[in-house]
Amino acid sequence: MDSMEMRRNAIVELINEKGTVSFSQIKDAFSNVSEMTLRTDLRLLDEAKRILRIHGGARSVEVVIGTDDFLKRKSVRNIPEKQRIAQKALTLLRADTTVYLDSGSTATVLARQFPDQSRLIYTTGLSCATELADLEKSTVMLPGGQLNRYSQSVFGFSAIRELERVNFHQAFLGITGYHPVAGFTCGISDEAILKQTAIRQSEQVILLMDSSKAGVKCSFHVCGLADIDILVSDGNLPQEMLAECRKYGVEVL
């Protein structure tokens, strides 16, 4: 394998690891390579369908094709950011409430730290249910439905119908991306509908999103800023997004 092929493989690995990267991040990671060469690499990798070039950077095709990525791969990305998000989200929990906890790697980190209090918890994440299994004072409900083997979650008609029967005090939602035009998005249509159902059924909607997902636009619209109450992030959201949150009265933690 020559150095050019090794470099391009390393670029793909970086993009798959992060999900979405800016061109400046690529330049920093490959500081000994000229900007022209890196742009050529991205163009050829895009043509080979190994990545997707976007304005100002590149995105992993694993997110774009609708798998919402493998949970095991996502669980090792941006770990400090997810831990900060979980710590902030914990301050919002109230005892003696009914809570919806979404699936995903950030939700799993949060589930791992749930206090053992009287609470009814519905979750569609298998990994979340596993983390919650040791709680003695909480009741954990796992709706039936179709298994998404990529995100290790339950979705589909049966899960949606079950959530429609429940009135939640709080919903903690994960998301795949946010784009100023498309709003909050994910990669699977049925999961978008499930999240929309949880939003409709909840008094307070709390969205968990690390800053790497800002500017990412996936296939299916979930909601807009007007539909959420609190956005919990890692403290590194773009100023443009923070301004939009203020416009819609969304509290940012």
Side-chain angles (χ1 to χ4, degrees), residues 62-81:
E62 292 171 353
V63 174
V64 176
I65 62 175
T67 64
D68 272 1
D69 211 348
F70 292 91
L71 180 65
K72 290 180 180 178
R73 185 170 292 148
K74 290 169 65 177
S75 66
V76 298
R77 296 181 189 150
N78 305 322
I79 294 174
E81 290 84 354

Side-chain angles (χ1 to χ4, degrees), residues 105-122:
S105 56
T106 305
T108 302
V109 175
L110 174 58
R112 191 175 300 140
Q113 301 177 50
F114 256 55
D116 193 6
Q117 298 173 326
S118 174
R119 188 178 287 111
L120 177 59
I121 308 168
Y122 277 76

Side-chain angles (χ1 to χ4, degrees), residues 133-204:
D134 291 334
L135 300 181
E136 297 180 355
K137 298 178 182 178
S138 296
T139 299
V140 180
M141 303 293 293
L142 191 66
Q146 182 179 344
L147 174 66
N148 179 343
R149 63 188 179 91
Y150 299 104
S151 61
Q152 296 183 26
S153 65
V154 175
F155 71 107
F157 179 75
S158 297
I160 291 167
R161 287 296 301 271
E162 188 161 349
L163 293 189
E164 286 176 338
R165 297 171 44 246
V166 186
N167 296 313
F168 298 105
H169 294 97
Q170 295 176 304
F172 292 83
L173 296 175
I175 207 70
T176 308
Y178 173 80
H179 187 274
V181 175
F184 296 103
T185 58
C186 69
I188 297 177
S189 176
D190 282 353
E191 288 200 354
I193 297 171
L194 189 146
K195 293 175 192 291
Q196 290 166 353
T197 302
I199 289 170
R200 286 196 304 272
Q201 297 298 116
S202 299
E203 292 179 6
Q204 184 182 55

